[in-house]
Amino acid sequence: MCGIFCLLTASPTQFEWNKTVYEHLKRRGPNWSHDLSVRHSDLCCQCLFSAHVLHMRGVLTPQPIEDRAGNILLWNGEVFGGVTVTPEENDTAIISQRLMSCSSPSEILSFLSSIRGPWAFVYYQKDGDYLWFGRDFFGRRSLLWKFDVGFTTLTLSSVAAHTSGPDQFGWKEVPAVGIYRIDLKAVTEVVTFELYPWEKEGYDLTSICSDTTQVPSGCSAVLNQSGLLLPSPVSTLNTSTPDSINETEIQANLHPSIKDLEQLLASREKISEVNSLVDVLSEAVRRRVQSLPFKVEDYSLDTDQATIAILFSGGIDSMILAALADRHIPPHQPIDLLNVAFKLQEPKTEKDFVKNPKKHKNKITRPAPQTSSPFDVPDRITGKAGLEELQALNPDRRWNFVEINVTQEELQKMRRERICHLVYPLDTVLDDSIGCAVWFAARGTGVIREGDQKRPFMSTAKIILTGIGADEQLAGYSRHRVRFKMSGHEGLVQELAMELGRISSRNLGRDDRVIGDHGKEARFPYLDEDVVNYLNSLPVWVKADLSLPRGVGEKLLLRLSARQLGLGQSAVLPKRAMQFGSRIAKMEDSREKASDKCTRLLSA
């Protein structure tokens, strides 16, 4: 993974680094930093390329990488399939070689669409003087852009900097709708992007280019004149619906149990589908835990330093990732389970009720639950229970359950200094809550328990697995249940199609920026192309049965897979959003809505 940056300008003014942007880029890529400028006498513009490399596989390859033909590549990605990269090779070098052999736009598009894995790139093609850039089909790597009209300057960057006050030339996320090309010979006061869209179902290609909210002010986007499309790496979603709809009322008061899953597993058809999902997910995890820049024998048997960490709540998504990682990581290596908790606030006292009797009228007051620690939030409790299940599955593995405890003072400090810049240009209450929770979790600084004792611990794992993509594909959110009640299976299919289509702009760019700030790389097994292909092939009622109660019906196929893997109570835990499970949402204004603009980010 890397921090990449490109500045295209038609102005002769001297470029000066924004200190905050440069520091964030360098933290993303602590192993190598270098700048390279390109200007030709027959061009009216110049380009500055800057790369900051996090070494992940093969021999460290310095970037920007310039080939013998004068092409320049900035690559922030990982190749997990589609293109052959041996363990000894570096994927940046392979990508550069393959791009150099492309002689036409169609060949470049064909090659890029064949890559399986997350990526964002900027590529200067000397033959013709073109600048190409874009993100993968799901947008799993961040890429931002902005255009300064006064200086006729276009900037592309993995990460930006938040500035207080209005900014008419602010940053935007490069939409993951295709690959863009700029003809450098035609750059004047206006920059035009030629778009080569991904072949996605439901795309209105005309509206993509006319949507001025996505394109930087002062720029324009047009479809490429050849009508070329990037072949989609995943199949279209199965939109079939059952002949008859299950009219059974949802019994929310039932307590789901493992026996419910075992009864469903008795079906031979279910067993086949469950085994297929386990197989494809297992392979996705294997690709992501074995593509490492070092040999496993370099780690001594008694070390507690892990190579892989998991954002871990004890819920089904992270439990399955841990169970599958256990299959593919050598048994002497630990696995870090990163569990974040925000300090619980003091419970309301009796005086509060006396002062505001109207506010609390008709409310049933219950004593606050007794906890042994102000950090015993829901995700900490389920995380510890999940740890016990994993220890039962493999008692010989060292599972580093890292308790990451965050106070309000530290949250406010780090939001102001770092996190507000990383979440930007997103700005909602939800972005703030999840961005902060993921940043502290990924940092990996906390304590681990050894018997009755605790000791300080910092995770050294450079790879962090995250469960993003499971809820979006398997109807894990409460809004899916609402849509199902209102519109049945047809409405649920439409909702799931929308979820996967917008995941790049809602989650992935933000989380890549937040996790990358620690010099670590986010990997998303549930968004592996083969996993998405398999889930897209199944009818919706196989993946989820929302006529069943919470804890069973949503993500049903995944819950059955968890039980098949030997997991216990974690397989029937209802979905709990990270902002509530970690209790960060309780630290701030409880009257806020998730979609509100977050004043804490805007004023940081």
Side-chain angles (χ1 to χ4, degrees), residues 138-152:
F138 297 116
R140 288 165 289 187
R141 290 289 175 259
S142 171
L143 191 63
L144 309 175
W145 58 7
K146 78 168 183 175
F147 184 73
D148 190 322
V149 175
F151 294 98
T152 318

Side-chain angles (χ1 to χ4, degrees), residues 226-428:
S226 303
L228 294 173
L229 298 175
L230 283 139
S232 171
V234 298
S235 59
T236 57
L237 180 67
N238 185 328
T239 59
S240 60
T241 56
D243 295 332
S244 60
I245 298 177
N246 190 341
E247 299 291 347
T248 305
E249 288 293 324
I250 299 171
Q251 302 181 54
N253 60 326
L254 291 181
H255 296 288
S257 69
I258 299 169
K259 289 183 179 179
D260 296 327
L261 297 180
E262 291 173 345
Q263 290 175 359
L264 291 167
L265 275 172
S267 163
R268 289 186 178 182
E269 183 183 1
K270 290 289 185 186
I271 283 290
S272 173
E273 293 157 345
V274 164
N275 288 339
S276 295
L277 179 56
V278 169
D279 288 345
V280 73
L281 259 178
S282 179
E283 175 60 18
V285 171
R286 184 197 67 78
R287 292 174 185 146
R288 285 157 178 79
V289 302
Q290 293 185 355
S291 297
L292 304 172
F294 35 70
K295 298 178 181 178
V296 295
E297 54 266 27
D298 292 342
Y299 279 71
S300 61
L301 297 179
D302 60 349
T303 183
D304 62 5
Q305 293 187 344
T307 62
I308 302 294
I310 300 169
L311 295 185
F312 188 77
S313 66
I316 183 174
D317 304 342
S318 58
M319 284 293 290
I320 284 183
L321 294 183
L324 293 176
D326 182 53
R327 288 184 170 187
H328 302 296
I329 295 174
H332 66 273
Q333 285 192 19
I335 296 176
D336 288 349
L337 308 174
L338 307 178
N339 184 272
V340 66
F342 293 81
K343 188 175 182 179
L344 292 167
Q345 302 302 298
E346 293 295 327
K348 296 286 185 181
T349 65
E350 189 176 343
K351 290 181 180 180
D352 295 320
F353 292 89
V354 174
K355 288 179 181 178
N356 302 287
K358 291 183 179 180
K359 180 179 178 182
H360 302 287
K361 185 179 179 181
N362 299 326
K363 283 191 176 180
I364 300 174
T365 59
R366 298 181 177 87
Q370 296 297 315
T371 60
S372 58
S373 165
F375 295 103
D376 279 344
V377 302
D379 278 0
R380 178 62 47 80
I381 295 168
T382 55
K384 289 178 178 178
L387 172 65
E388 292 181 3
E389 288 190 28
L390 294 173
Q391 289 171 331
L393 277 180
N394 187 352
D396 296 327
R397 169 83 64 190
R398 182 185 178 103
W399 301 94
N400 290 327
F401 184 76
V402 189
E403 299 181 27
I404 299 161
N405 300 327
V406 186
T407 64
Q408 189 169 37
E409 293 74 21
E410 186 176 19
L411 168 63
Q412 293 171 346
K413 177 178 184 292
M414 299 317 299
R415 176 195 284 122
R416 181 176 62 253
E417 294 179 3
R418 302 268 283 274
I419 301 170
C420 72
H421 301 295
L422 303 167
V423 172
Y424 180 74
L426 303 187
D427 59 5
T428 69

Side-chain angles (χ1 to χ4, degrees), residues 70-137:
N71 305 307
I72 298 171
L73 173 66
L74 299 175
W75 174 254
N76 175 27
E78 293 290 342
V79 177
F80 294 128
V83 176
T84 301
V85 181
T86 66
E88 296 77 23
E89 292 177 320
N90 180 272
D91 58 349
T92 305
I94 299 297
I95 298 297
S96 175
Q97 292 167 14
R98 292 289 300 274
L99 284 173
M100 183 177 65
S101 67
C102 295
S103 57
S104 67
S106 61
E107 290 182 5
I108 289 178
L109 300 180
S110 176
F111 169 63
L112 290 172
S113 64
S114 72
I115 299 171
R116 300 295 177 262
W119 49 266
F121 83 110
V122 179
Y123 180 62
Y124 167 62
Q125 185 183 17
K126 186 175 181 180
D127 183 15
D129 286 312
Y130 293 109
L131 189 71
W132 297 80
F133 60 95
R135 303 163 70 191
D136 72 77
F137 185 82

